[in-house]
Amino acid sequence: EFKLPYSTYNIEEMTKKVFEEINQKADSTGMVLFSRLVEGKNPLEIIDTFIPCLFLSNKQKINMWQEEFFGEIFISIQKN
């Protein structure tokens, strides 16, 4: 059984935290691999990283793409 922590999950807080992590781990061109963001994390922590990435992509703060099904997810920081 999988339960979402509705009452304690603050998406804005998580989005800010993940964006800071992306900025820290990005290379000189502003790119980072999703696998690098989740190194050493358990499955729930991976989800807690992926969902904020979707929100960041929707807000056009990052670009995310995957070149092959089940392949690596690439992330680049949007320059505004």
Side-chain angles (χ1 to χ4, degrees):
E1 186 175 303
F2 182 75
K3 294 183 181 181
L4 292 174
Y6 292 113
S7 63
T8 61
Y9 194 85
N10 183 332
I11 190 63
E12 292 298 325
E13 210 172 273
M14 291 300 293
T15 302
K16 182 179 176 184
K17 179 182 170 191
V18 170
F19 191 61
E20 288 172 3
E21 189 174 356
I22 289 169
N23 277 300
Q24 290 172 358
K25 293 186 176 184
D27 64 14
S28 61
T29 64
M31 289 193 61
V32 65
L33 300 176
F34 183 74
S35 61
R36 181 145 190 263
L37 287 180
V38 297
E39 282 176 330
K41 293 185 177 182
N42 68 45
L44 287 177
E45 292 169 324
I46 292 170
I47 293 168
D48 283 344
T49 303
F50 186 72
I51 292 173
C53 283
L54 294 176
F55 276 78
L56 288 166
S57 179
N58 189 51
K59 291 180 179 183
Q60 299 179 344
K61 292 188 176 262
I62 64 170
N63 285 323
M64 290 176 57
W65 70 95
Q66 191 175 39
E67 294 179 354
E68 60 183 64
F69 199 56
F70 290 114
E72 183 63 69
I73 298 170
F74 299 89
I75 299 171
S76 67
I77 300 169
Q78 280 282 80
K79 305 218 190 254
N80 295 333

